[in-house]
Amino acid sequence: MTGPRTPDALTPGALRPRPRLPSPVWEAVDERFGRRGVRLLLKRDDLIHPELVGNKWRKLAPNLRAAAGRTVLTFGGAYSNHLRATAAAGRLLGLPTVGVVRGQELADRPLNPSLAQCAADGMRFHFVDRSTYRRKSEPKTLAALLRACAAEDAYVIPEGGSNSLAVLGCRALGEELRDHGGVDVAAVACGTGGTFAGLAAGLGPGRRTLGIPVLKGGFLDAEIRTLQDEAFGGPRGDWSLDDRFHFGGYARTPPELEAFAADFEQRHDLPVERLYVAKLLYGLVALAEENAFPRGTTIAAVITGSPHPRPADPF
């Protein structure tokens, strides 16, 4: 691995290939929306970068700049999208990375394909039991983890990458849609809430942000408010969540959702990621059929990721 780069090098332009920003907006002509006088746009954040797809670069870029060349330590499960993105960013930008992985039992097993890719990108692992993992944000536990990883001076990014810097990075997503013109509603699937919090802030007045949580539990509203408080000092944007489309919880993809995603792929020649994007699109179709959007509404659905061959943790 190359040595750490200077903070000035940790910009989108330092990546090869260079991130595609702003990400493109495509129109999806779909009679399920059209017959209700609603226009559907697809904000193709999945095309930003071949290795840092979707919202990952938007959330990681400001944190990598803040790391200022230090080792980056973060957290995730055995199939974590966030761990993969952090490891890839570390390789591309010459930053050492450490992943604290949930599940001590995994330490003695062969690496699964997701973790193997992280390792190939240079990430070091520290496996912890699930009890310790739940306490990872407590100062004493975090300090002990940093010592155990020999990374006391590391820059720490939280599980899922959602912190105030990530929210500030995702504000650009809302600004891009605001500047695109004509968007009334921006919609995105939500995991930890960072992308949504930034999107809502950047979209500006007169537009609404709709979130489709992919985890059940009803906890996300408070998380988003906390993230916006930390990033902006208070609430930003006109936003709401609809908790009806998680299909039983994270990584639950019943036959109904699979059939919907396959049909959407065929209709629009768009690979549909099942754990986030499929639930977002399903929810938007259901809401359109409920006449939840007034005639003349233009919706921009944010496509945050591409299909992955194995189920991946949100964090």
Side-chain angles (χ1 to χ4, degrees), residues 30-301:
D30 192 311
E31 73 275 8
R32 294 171 293 186
F33 295 88
R35 63 174 172 259
R36 290 170 173 82
V38 176
R39 184 177 177 222
L40 178 65
L41 305 178
L42 304 177
K43 176 65 167 166
R44 296 295 306 274
D45 261 24
D46 58 312
L47 300 179
I48 287 177
H49 191 274
E51 295 189 74
L52 301 173
V53 298
N55 54 357
K56 298 307 180 186
W57 175 248
R58 296 188 189 274
K59 295 168 77 174
L60 280 172
N63 278 287
L64 295 173
R65 283 192 288 268
R70 288 178 288 164
T71 295
V72 172
L73 181 143
T74 193
F75 307 86
Y79 288 98
S80 169
N81 289 319
H82 172 64
L83 285 185
R84 287 198 305 275
T86 303
R91 172 176 56 80
L92 292 166
L93 295 172
L95 283 174
T97 57
V98 177
V100 177
V101 182
R102 181 180 64 243
Q104 179 63 48
E105 70 278 5
L106 301 174
D108 298 323
R109 298 179 184 174
L111 297 178
N112 65 40
S114 183
L115 292 180
Q117 183 59 57
C118 291
D121 284 334
M123 177 173 275
R124 291 193 293 117
F125 298 124
H126 180 69
F127 297 90
V128 299
D129 63 84
R130 294 166 193 275
S131 176
T132 300
Y133 191 87
R134 285 193 294 270
R135 303 193 309 273
K136 62 188 178 299
S137 60
E138 298 175 4
K140 289 184 178 180
T141 302
L142 178 58
L145 287 171
L146 291 172
R147 287 193 300 271
C149 295
E152 288 92 338
D153 296 328
Y155 180 84
V156 178
I157 300 178
E159 183 180 40
S162 288
N163 58 10
S164 59
L165 287 178
V167 172
L168 290 168
C170 290
R171 181 172 55 184
L173 171 58
E175 292 169 347
E176 290 172 21
L177 286 172
R178 179 196 66 199
D179 294 343
H180 181 77
V183 173
D184 302 297
V185 178
V188 67
C190 303
T192 53
T195 301
F196 182 84
L199 167 62
L203 196 59
R207 300 171 178 86
R208 181 165 64 93
T209 309
L210 172 65
I212 304 295
V214 301
L215 292 86
K216 63 180 180 180
F219 62 90
L220 203 54
D221 187 281
E223 294 289 334
I224 292 166
R225 294 182 188 280
T226 296
L227 286 167
Q228 288 197 331
D229 284 343
E230 293 172 349
F232 309 115
R236 292 291 188 276
D238 176 10
W239 58 267
S240 62
L241 303 173
D242 194 319
D243 288 299
R244 294 180 294 159
F245 305 110
H246 54 68
F247 284 87
Y250 185 73
R252 300 292 179 87
T253 56
E256 180 184 6
L257 185 64
E258 285 284 352
F260 170 85
D263 176 71
F264 199 95
E265 289 177 330
Q266 185 173 18
R267 287 172 184 256
H268 300 293
D269 193 26
L270 173 77
V272 176
E273 187 273 332
R274 297 311 200 249
L275 307 186
Y276 288 84
V277 177
K279 293 179 180 182
L280 166 68
L281 296 171
Y282 185 100
L284 290 178
V285 169
L287 287 165
E289 291 174 347
E290 295 171 3
N291 293 313
F293 306 112
R295 296 188 71 85
T297 297
T298 295
I299 305 167

